[in-house]
Amino acid sequence: MMEAIDRRPWLARLLLLGLGGVMALGLAPFRLPILTVLALAVALRMQARSPSRRESFCRGWMLGAGYFALALQWIVEPFMVDAARDGWMAPFAILLMAGGLALFWALAFWSSWGLGPSDGPRRALAAVLALTLAEMTRSVVFTGFPWALIGSVWVDHPIGQLAALTGTHGLSLFTGCLAVGVLTLSVWQASRRALLASGLTVFGWAGGTLLGERMIAAYDRMDPGDRPMIRVVQPNEAQTLKWRPEMIPVFWDRKLALTASRTGARPDIVVWPEVSLPYLLDPGAGPDTRIAEAAGGVPVILGAQRFEGEDLRNALAVLGPGGEVQAVYDKYHLVPFGEYFPGGALAEALGLQGLATSLLGGFTPGPGPRILDLGPLGRVLPLICYEAIFPGHADPQGLPRPDWIVQITNDAWFGTLSGPQQHLDQARLRAIEQGLPLVRSANTGISAIIDPKGRVLAQLALNTAGVIDRPLPRAAAPTLYARTANGPLILVLLAAALWIIRSRIVKGH
């Protein structure tokens, strides 16, 4: 069968396009990581048999295009909020995003071609190393976009706990190695080294699962102690209705009523979602007694828009027991084309604007990460929406380690099929990587309280209004990833790459 495919490059490319889509089924809402491994195994076999570097580039691009087209299908949803104005851009958005991100995979396959004998495990392993590096690269270039990382498919499996050791990029490498192992079991059994790799694969799967389960059990044995009670408010303000003048008081009264509800235990702090205030926040103005009365005299974390001079900021504020502004954090990693239009003054002169604000030019980024000291409630790291998809933002260097993370977001922009679920899973991975609990308040869902093992202890479904009342989980000890970030993974990649290159030089191919 492989010989027939090799004679028809167009057929190989179409098959890889489909395999990319199958790989994406490991992500939410499907969460079938075994399909990711199997589809990647077939793709690596086809890469190992690629006849030329040019063909490898094409095959990598097709695989990536299929993966990102399905994984990022939610990208069209923001353009449909105001379809009359923005709907025409939706097809271009998905085509450009999928095609652009696929270039990273294309370069990975291109660069790994020829590193090892044709149709051999060494060439497949070289592609895995290059693909991991490509995933790391797309996470940082052009402000970065680490959404739908391959390793994130393990968030619901005990293997996902390895993110505490290696981070999500390490899980991507692990996934690729499992795929190579599948090939050795099914295709390359005759090779002594291939058989060794097969054994290591079985050991890796079983060992990773067992280690993850032990890490969870060790945390569960910890004494949680006396923990503060968190109330998470989910008002369910549909984005198409959120700013209609007649709906603003309806949603405002709903938030106050949910905050004041006495159906659960009395909270020690209340969390509202992103851009909750229907008015501009002014830290110098008087206290908001309406929120203070509804909260019963406890602090409230909420999202708002505010001006700093002439700059519009997407902010998180902490209101004290009396409704006064005690602390403010300004989002510093903004969404390109969503919260601002690249080009600054030129974009403003051309009348171009982001989707999330009608102000020409969009939001201005804040100065950087900040830890908010809430006294007896501990130190909290604030993240606003998009910022939670970046592993590095959950561990701001040079700042004290927080006791917990709070993410406020408005996932009403992302539809209901996959966007909110994938965004939640990425927040769960930040909790695992750092060993910290994470409190998530989302306008239309999915709001959740997440423990340091990435488990969702309580959540509110999409498109429902309600509250979560739950004690804040205890933080775990700092993880290896929290202490070293991607340093060990980079060393592993370098060592493996040097071994492959040395083998090629010694053996002459």
Side-chain angles (χ1 to χ4, degrees):
M1 180 178 177
M2 278 293 177
E3 289 75 10
I5 292 175
D6 288 341
R7 289 194 296 270
R8 299 174 176 84
W10 62 269
L11 182 58
R13 296 173 190 178
L14 284 178
L15 178 57
L16 282 159
L17 183 69
L19 287 170
V22 175
M23 281 184 64
L25 295 178
L27 301 166
F30 309 102
R31 295 189 173 95
L32 299 170
I34 189 63
L35 293 184
T36 302
V37 174
L38 295 177
L40 180 57
V42 178
L44 291 174
R45 177 81 194 281
M46 296 178 67
Q47 160 63 3
R49 295 177 62 89
S50 176
S52 68
R53 195 177 295 274
R54 179 180 179 277
E55 179 62 19
S56 291
F57 181 92
C58 294
R59 292 184 179 191
W61 188 88
M62 294 297 282
L63 181 69
Y67 179 81
F68 291 114
L70 182 58
L72 303 180
Q73 56 80 28
W74 56 266
I75 205 75
V76 304
E77 298 288 350
F79 300 95
M80 306 313 294
V81 171
D82 188 350
R85 186 190 73 175
D86 304 317
W88 65 273
M89 292 187 283
F92 298 100
I94 187 63
L95 290 174
L96 290 174
M97 284 295 293
L101 293 175
L103 288 173
F104 290 96
W105 289 25
L107 289 171
F109 275 29
W110 175 85
S111 63
S112 63
W113 184 85
L115 295 178
S118 178
D119 198 16
R122 201 172 344 129
R123 184 175 289 192
L125 181 59
V128 168
L129 300 178
L131 193 58
T132 303
L133 185 59
E135 290 285 87
M136 297 174 72
T137 303
R138 76 171 173 96
S139 299
V140 294
V141 300
F142 304 122
T143 78
F145 190 66
W147 195 291
L149 294 173
I150 295 172
S152 61
V153 301
W154 300 107
V155 67
D156 273 330
H157 192 279
I159 286 174
Q161 298 302 313
L162 300 184
L165 306 176
T166 67
T168 306
H169 292 306
L171 290 178
S172 296
L173 176 61
F174 182 85
T175 308
C177 290
L178 283 179
V180 173
V182 169
L183 284 178
T184 63
L185 286 167
S186 59
V187 179
W188 298 317
Q189 307 98 321
S191 165
R192 190 173 293 177
R193 289 182 178 176
L195 289 173
L196 174 62
S198 299
L200 291 176
T201 300
V202 174
F203 176 79
W205 176 279
T209 301
L210 180 61
L211 179 58
E213 290 174 345
R214 290 178 66 87
M215 293 167 71
I216 293 172
Y219 174 78
D220 288 341
R221 287 194 296 269
M222 295 174 60
D223 181 7
D226 186 20
R227 308 299 301 154
M229 182 65 66
I230 307 290
R231 170 165 291 176
V232 178
V233 172
Q234 181 172 298
N236 191 33
E237 302 172 349
Q239 196 60 40
T240 53
L241 304 175
K242 184 177 175 69
W243 297 114
R244 289 187 182 180
E246 70 275 15
M247 293 303 298
I248 288 176
V250 174
F251 292 140
W252 178 248
D253 290 341
R254 181 183 298 174
K255 282 180 285 218
L256 294 177
L258 291 171
T259 301
S261 63
R262 297 293 179 257
T263 56
R266 184 180 186 276
D268 295 302
I269 190 168
V270 178
V271 183
W272 285 14
E274 181 183 15
V275 190
S276 294
L277 295 185
Y279 55 85
L280 290 171
L281 177 72
D282 182 0
D288 192 319
T289 56
R290 297 165 297 179
I291 297 177
E293 290 174 2
V298 302
V300 177
I301 294 175
L302 52 77
Q305 299 179 83
R306 75 183 192 95
F307 275 101
E308 180 76 23
E310 297 183 353
D311 297 332
L312 182 66
R313 304 286 180 88
N314 185 355
L316 174 149
V318 179
L319 303 189
E324 70 283 0
V325 177
Q326 292 186 330
V328 173
Y329 161 75
D330 294 320
K331 184 177 183 181
Y332 69 96
H333 200 141
L334 303 176
V335 182
F337 305 101
E339 293 177 308
Y340 75 100
F341 204 97
L346 176 61
E348 185 172 352
L350 295 174
L352 301 174
Q353 62 189 49
L355 295 173
T357 174
S358 59
L359 185 72
L360 297 182
F363 290 104
T364 299
R370 184 180 179 191
I371 302 294
L372 306 179
D373 191 342
L374 303 181
L377 297 172
R379 294 190 296 260
V380 61
L381 171 69
L383 298 174
I384 300 179
C385 190
Y386 182 67
E387 291 176 323
I389 76 172
F390 294 88
H393 290 357
D395 183 27
Q397 300 298 313
L399 297 177
R401 186 177 193 246
D403 300 298
W404 53 293
I405 301 170
V406 63
Q407 181 199 14
I408 60 172
T409 185
N410 180 16
D411 288 1
W413 290 99
F414 301 157
T416 60
L417 178 59
S418 62
Q421 291 90 338
Q422 291 177 9
H423 202 193
L424 171 65
D425 283 355
Q426 289 169 96
R428 295 169 63 192
L429 283 164
R430 303 295 85 80
I432 297 172
E433 289 167 345
Q434 300 301 321
L436 292 173
L438 189 147
V439 175
R440 188 174 198 267
S441 179
N443 171 22
T444 56
I446 305 167
S447 298
I449 293 182
I450 302 164
D451 77 0
K453 299 291 121 182
R455 295 175 296 185
V456 177
L457 303 181
Q459 70 177 46
L460 290 167
L462 280 170
N463 300 324
T464 61
V467 299
I468 298 172
D469 288 321
R470 180 101 185 189
L472 177 69
R474 177 178 176 174
T479 64
L480 176 64
Y481 183 77
R483 294 193 294 265
T484 63
N486 290 318
L489 175 62
I490 292 172
L491 291 177
V492 169
L493 291 174
L494 286 174
L498 288 174
W499 173 76
I500 291 173
I501 293 171
R502 179 181 176 276
S503 299
R504 181 172 185 260
I505 293 173
V506 169
K507 297 187 176 182
H509 56 251

